[in-house]
């Protein structure tokens, strides 16, 4: 595995860019804040729809550059897995006019917490999301309730909340939510939940026929 950023970041980006210019896979490239600034200024990526940025040490500073650049205004799939993103970074995604086309959002293994979830739950940028992964983000029932009570997630089909701090209270709110009209899959493994009881709720009328793992 690389221990630092590529020696030639622009060349590395071009190498990882699909021929049609709509996808770039920079997972584990360690490009950092410097790299995301370079990426945001490259005309070659102005049509990118899929941004895979797992493990790049971006932090909120990198997210600020990302969300502030209209280079990424066509982005539909965004992965920021393991980048040290806090509630502030989640708020930037929620507020950015360049993130209005998001369909898939992966914020796995960050630290957005309940505040970050609440920002996403009130954002118009969440309205086209069909897939959202918030695994391992220190989310409690407060965050689960924010999602359940939000009117912004009506198109969400898959919600991954693996390894958080959600109890039966949050789980029931999510399974019984009338706002989550399209939800088919809810992942709650490694939370503070009795999974047998979760299955009972999911299978009966209360769970609205949603699959819960």
């Amino acid at each position: 595995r690389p221990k630092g950023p590529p020696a030639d970041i622009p060349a590395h980006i071009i190498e990882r860019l699909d021929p049609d210019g709509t996808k770039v896979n920079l997972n584990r490239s360690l490009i950092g804040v410097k790299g995301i600034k370079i990426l945001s200024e490259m005309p070659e990526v102005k049509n990118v729809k899929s941004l895979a940025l797992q493990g790049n040490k971006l932090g909120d500073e990198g997210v600020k550059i990302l969300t502030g650049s209209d280079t990424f205004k066509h982005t539909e799939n965004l992965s920021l897995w393991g980048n040290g993103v806090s509630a502030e970074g989640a708020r930037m995604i929620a507020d950015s006019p360049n993130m209005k086309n998001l369909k898939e959002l992966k914020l796995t293994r960050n630290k957005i917490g309940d505040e970050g979830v609440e920002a996403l739950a009130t954002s118009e940028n969440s309205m086209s999301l069909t897939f959202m992964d918030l695994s391992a983000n220190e989310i409690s029932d407060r965050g689960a309730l924010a999602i359940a009570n939000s009117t912004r997630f009506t198109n969400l089909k898959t919600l991954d909340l693996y390894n958080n701090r959600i109890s039966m209270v949050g789980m029931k709110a999510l399974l019984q939510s009338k706002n989550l009209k399209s939800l088919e899959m809810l992942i709650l493994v490694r939370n503070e939940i009795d999974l047998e009881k979760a299955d009972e709720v999911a299978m009966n009328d209360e769970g609205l026929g949603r699959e819960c793992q």
Side-chain angles (χ1 to χ4, degrees):
R1 287 188 179 185
K3 293 183 179 178
D8 187 337
I9 291 175
H12 178 76
I13 290 168
I14 295 298
E15 184 184 315
R16 295 291 194 93
L17 183 67
D18 273 20
D20 66 1
T22 62
K23 296 179 183 177
V24 63
N25 183 347
L26 294 169
N27 286 342
R28 302 183 188 89
S29 294
L30 301 176
I31 62 170
V33 174
K34 176 186 174 185
I36 202 73
K37 191 168 192 315
I38 291 169
L39 181 69
S40 71
E41 293 169 354
M42 291 179 68
E44 293 90 345
V45 300
K46 71 180 188 303
N47 293 315
V48 160
K49 291 183 178 181
S50 179
L51 265 175
L53 295 167
Q54 177 180 341
N56 275 288
K57 297 187 174 180
L58 299 182
D60 292 336
E61 189 180 350
V63 173
K64 185 176 182 179
I65 294 166
L66 173 73
T67 56
S69 172
D70 66 3
T71 296
F72 307 117
K73 66 185 177 184
H74 301 298
T75 302
E76 294 179 1
N77 302 336
L78 176 61
S79 174
L80 287 168
W81 178 314
N83 273 287
V85 180
S86 77
E88 185 182 352
R91 198 172 295 112
M92 291 172 195
I93 295 168
D95 293 345
S96 172
N98 300 309
M99 295 286 125
K100 289 189 181 301
N101 295 308
L102 284 179
K103 292 180 180 175
E104 294 193 7
L105 179 61
K106 296 178 185 176
L107 287 170
T108 318
R109 290 188 184 175
N110 283 290
K111 47 185 180 180
I112 72 165
D114 294 326
E115 283 186 34
V117 175
E118 286 167 347
L120 293 169
T122 56
S123 171
E124 289 190 9
N125 291 353
S126 297
M127 294 186 77
S128 295
L129 284 176
T130 59
F131 179 98
M132 184 165 67
D133 187 344
L134 303 179
S135 304
N137 266 286
E138 303 167 8
I139 297 163
S140 73
D141 286 336
R142 178 180 149 194
L145 288 165
I147 295 171
N149 294 328
S150 171
T151 57
R152 305 299 195 197
F153 296 118
T154 53
N155 289 303
L156 197 63
K157 292 182 179 179
T158 300
L159 175 59
D160 193 342
L161 292 166
Y162 170 87
N163 194 17
N164 280 291
R165 300 200 297 262
I166 297 164
S167 77
M168 291 291 288
V169 173
M171 184 209 74
K172 280 187 177 181
L174 290 165
L175 283 174
Q176 296 170 8
S177 172
K178 299 287 199 297
N179 295 315
L180 300 172
K181 295 175 183 177
S182 304
L183 191 66
E184 297 169 358
M185 172 68 74
L186 174 63
I187 299 166
L188 286 167
V189 178
R190 289 193 66 188
N191 276 274
E192 296 166 11
I193 289 166
D194 180 331
L195 287 176
E196 283 188 17
K197 287 183 181 175
D199 283 343
E200 284 176 24
V201 176
M203 292 301 288
N204 68 24
D205 290 341
E206 290 180 286
L208 301 180
R210 291 164 181 162
E211 186 174 349
C212 183
Q213 293 183 357

